[in-house]
């Protein structure tokens, strides 16, 4: 499928995804002709019709304007990279069933575009990669007779707010050669207010350290919450005491820490460090235990075989539509082993045939669990149902717990 017209300045591979599409439309808004390369033809059709295929705040008007000005085209065949000066690849390195990094996707990507690469092109790796992958890609291309320049410039945006953050956050830039670094710096200077230059290995670790540190922070909060719960203490009263007018007491609230990046990148860092990243493994054990904790709390109060449980919010975090690696689905599986029924709802998630309307889930459930604290739930009528809210989203006072909220 091709919607290409003339030459392009930049080709974004995986350009219809959560990383690639916001980047594409931001570059287009800065006067660059951008080609979106994505094998998902339905996504291409959606984008070229002026619609975002997922939630991204503030993106659709920018997309429509770029299309109206002829600054975006799209294709689904690898030959579309031919002759494009800069190729941005938004394919990262996932972890396999052994929690080790898998390089199959990025190697397959390189093999697909290899026949169409020229020595005067720049390849920018954009998604998280295992340390050393950037250099290995450059070496692989060289072994195939290609002198294509290779850079690593990681994205560090919050999903749902990419269009804003791409234009306000500093951009890490690295290259396997000085020429690659210079070209990548000039490219991202078009959209970013500050360029931070590092070696490729330093840049790779910046992204992994950022995500692993955030994952550990969430684990600390969740562990504190579990400790407080075991002692019969309200964690959020403790947290208020820690933080109120005290500059060194910052700690997140408890909740489901999940998604397609934090867990994966923590495990990549552990694999790189020969599985000696004990803090990362400890964080995984804590964060991944939260659905079991919720299921156990419900089982302690109700006979699950006679109980219908409703899960509110199936996205991996609040106010987005992405269910990838969501712990809501882990909780659904755990409860499904014992509960009479498990009902699910989400106002944003698409392509899940099991999702029901919110009113129906609330009405039919004996117990409700707030899995993703979407803002739309703020004024929700719980109809007096018991609700597990580890986020403290509704901020009910302790004396109101008996009215239905399990703290």
């Amino acid at each position: 499928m091709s919607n290409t017209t003339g030459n392009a300045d930049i080709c974004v591979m995986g350009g219809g995804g959560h990383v690639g599409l916001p980047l594409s439309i931001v570059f287009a808004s800065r006067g660059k002709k951008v080609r979106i390369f994505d094998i998902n033809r339905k996504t291409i059709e959606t984008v070229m019709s002026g619609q975002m295929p997922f939630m991204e705040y503030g993106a659709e008007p920018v997309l429509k304007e770029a299309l109206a000005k002829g600054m975006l085209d799209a294709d689904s065949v690898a030959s579309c990279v031919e002759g494009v000066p800069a190729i941005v690849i938004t394919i990262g390195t996932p972890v396999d069933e052994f929690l080790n990094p898998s390089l199959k996707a990025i190697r397959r990507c390189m093999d697909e575009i290899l026949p169409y690469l020229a020595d005067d092109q720049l390849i920018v790796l954009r998604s998280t990669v295992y340390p050393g992958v950037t250099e290995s890609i450059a070496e692989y291309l060289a072994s195939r007779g290609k002198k294509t320049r290779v850079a690593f410039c990681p994205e560090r945006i919050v999903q749902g707010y990419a269009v804003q953050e791409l234009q306000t956050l500093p951009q890490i830039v690295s290259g396997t050669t000085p020429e690659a670094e210079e070209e990548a710096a000039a490219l991202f200077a078009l959209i970013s207010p500050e360029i931070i230059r590092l070696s490729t290995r330093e840049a790779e670790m910046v992204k992994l350290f950022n995500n692993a540190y955030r994952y550990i922070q969430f684990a600390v909060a969740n562990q504190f919450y579990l400790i407080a719960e075991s002692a019969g203490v309200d964690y959020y009263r403790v947290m208020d005491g820690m933080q109120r007018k005290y500059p060194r007491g910052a700690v997140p609230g408890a909740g489901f820490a999940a998604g397609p990046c934090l867990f994966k990148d923590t495990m990549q860092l552990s694999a790189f460090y020969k599985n000696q990243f004990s803090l990362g493994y400890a964080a995984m054990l804590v964060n991944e235990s939260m659905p079991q904790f919720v299921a156990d709390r419900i089982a302690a109060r109700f006979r699950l075989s006679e109980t219908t449980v409703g899960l509110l919010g199936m996205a991996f975090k609040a106010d987005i539509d992405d269910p990838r690696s969501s712990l809501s689905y882990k909780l659904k599986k755990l409860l499904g082993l014992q509960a009479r029924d498990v009902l699910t709802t989400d106002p944003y998630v698409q392509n899940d045939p099991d999702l029901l309307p919110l009113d129906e889930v609330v009405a039919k459930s004996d117990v409700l669990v707030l899995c993703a604290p979407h803002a739309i739930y703020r004024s929700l009528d719980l109809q007096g149902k018991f609700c597990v809210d580890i986020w403290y989203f509704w901020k009910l006072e302790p004396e109101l717990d008996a009215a239905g909220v399990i703290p």
Side-chain angles (χ1 to χ4, degrees), residues 351-398:
N351 303 320
D352 180 349
D354 292 337
L355 294 178
L356 298 172
L358 175 60
D359 291 347
E360 182 178 345
V361 171
V362 173
K364 291 183 177 180
S365 298
D366 303 303
V367 178
L368 299 170
V369 180
L370 182 63
C371 296
H374 296 308
I376 198 172
Y377 293 153
R378 182 69 68 186
S379 58
L380 177 64
D381 180 6
L382 301 176
Q383 300 181 15
K385 305 290 178 74
F386 277 93
C387 183
V388 181
D389 174 19
I390 63 175
W391 306 86
Y392 198 50
F393 179 72
W394 284 296
K395 294 182 172 59
L396 297 184
E397 297 298 327

Side-chain angles (χ1 to χ4, degrees), residues 12-312:
V12 180
M13 300 188 66
H18 291 276
V19 175
L21 184 52
L23 183 67
S24 297
I25 63 177
V26 169
F27 270 129
S29 74
R30 298 300 177 93
K32 288 293 181 181
K33 179 68 180 294
V34 180
R35 176 162 299 153
I36 293 171
F37 172 37
D38 202 292
I39 60 174
N40 189 323
R41 296 187 177 190
K42 183 178 179 181
T43 294
I44 287 180
E45 290 174 359
T46 300
V47 171
M48 296 306 292
S49 71
Q51 294 180 303
M52 291 293 294
F54 50 81
M55 289 179 65
E56 182 63 46
Y57 296 102
E60 200 154 287
V62 186
L63 170 62
K64 291 180 183 296
E65 183 177 359
L67 289 170
K69 292 181 177 180
M71 302 306 293
L72 277 178
D73 63 26
D75 212 323
S76 58
V77 294
S79 59
C80 74
V81 306
E82 189 169 13
V84 181
I87 303 167
V88 181
I89 298 176
T90 63
I91 299 169
T93 49
V95 291
D96 61 19
E97 67 272 28
F98 305 108
L99 301 183
N100 291 319
S102 173
L103 304 180
K104 292 180 181 178
I106 196 164
R107 284 174 177 166
R108 184 169 58 248
C109 170
M110 288 298 147
D111 287 336
E112 288 177 357
I113 65 174
L114 191 65
Y116 311 106
L117 295 180
D119 293 346
D120 61 349
Q121 287 176 295
L122 171 71
I123 288 178
V124 178
L125 303 180
R126 183 69 174 157
S127 297
T128 309
V129 296
Y130 185 76
V133 164
T134 307
E135 290 288 346
S136 72
I137 291 297
E139 291 168 1
Y140 177 74
L141 293 175
S143 73
R144 298 299 190 273
K146 301 293 184 179
K147 298 179 182 179
T148 311
R149 293 175 289 280
V150 179
F152 176 61
C153 306
E155 58 83 16
R156 294 188 295 166
I157 51 90
V158 170
Q159 190 167 313
Y161 297 90
V163 169
Q164 172 186 335
E165 292 198 342
L166 282 168
Q167 301 174 86
T168 56
L169 293 180
Q171 175 62 55
I172 303 294
V173 167
S174 67
T176 56
T177 64
E179 294 79 14
E181 181 184 311
E182 286 298 327
E183 286 189 34
L187 181 65
F188 282 94
L190 295 170
I191 63 173
S192 178
E194 181 180 354
I195 301 298
I196 301 174
R197 297 174 184 250
L198 298 172
S199 70
T200 57
R201 188 63 63 94
E202 290 169 338
E204 290 164 344
M205 286 194 170
V206 163
K207 181 61 187 294
L208 291 173
F209 283 7
N210 273 150
N211 281 352
Y213 182 66
R214 188 162 173 79
Y215 192 63
I216 291 168
Q217 283 182 306
F218 289 139
V220 169
N222 283 333
Q223 185 82 87
F224 282 172
Y225 177 85
L226 295 174
I227 292 171
E229 286 292 304
S230 71
V233 172
D234 185 336
Y235 170 66
Y236 287 96
R237 287 175 60 84
V238 175
M239 193 172 80
D240 178 60
M242 292 171 62
Q243 295 180 337
R244 194 186 304 182
K245 298 182 180 179
Y246 185 69
R248 292 177 293 280
V251 63
F256 286 173
C261 296
L262 301 188
F263 169 81
K264 170 183 71 72
D265 290 353
T266 302
M267 293 302 101
Q268 286 203 76
L269 192 57
S270 179
F272 174 75
Y273 196 51
K274 304 183 188 304
N275 295 316
Q276 298 301 306
F277 186 25
S278 55
L279 275 175
Y281 279 116
M284 175 189 69
L285 292 174
V286 173
N287 288 333
E288 289 291 312
S289 76
M290 296 306 287
Q292 185 66 62
F293 168 79
V294 171
D296 290 345
R297 287 299 299 273
I298 297 172
R301 294 204 179 197
F302 296 87
R303 189 184 298 275
L304 280 175
S305 61
E306 302 173 359
T307 302
T308 295
V309 182
L311 306 184
L312 310 180

